[in-house]
Amino acid sequence: MRPETATCRSRTLAHVCATDLGAALAILATTTLGAELIERVVPLDDLATQPDRLAAGQVDGKILIDPWL
């Protein structure tokens, strides 16, 4: 295995989450950043309609899918 391949494989999303998740949640809980980035929260039943909105240019922020809504 080439060194650059090994480096890429060790930098997975899981690694980043394990390292930064606590800090990221603290920022979201104590600042207005989440409100600034999140356009809407939709129930899981509405998941199928969201790509259509994105393709039509109707999305300005992040869309969170909440399976408990």
Side-chain angles (χ1 to χ4, degrees), residues 2-66:
R2 294 188 319 254
E4 62 273 12
T5 304
T7 300
C8 291
R9 289 187 181 181
S10 69
R11 294 179 186 215
T12 65
L13 183 56
H15 172 73
V16 172
C17 287
T19 302
D20 299 332
L21 185 59
L25 290 175
I27 290 168
L28 291 173
T30 59
T31 69
T32 61
L33 182 61
E36 294 171 25
L37 297 176
I38 297 171
E39 177 181 314
R40 65 178 44 201
V41 179
V42 298
L44 186 59
D45 292 342
D46 291 348
L47 177 63
T49 62
Q50 300 314 305
D52 295 336
R53 292 185 64 243
L54 181 62
Q58 299 171 341
V59 177
D60 293 322
K62 301 293 183 188
I63 298 174
L64 298 181
I65 309 298
D66 187 342

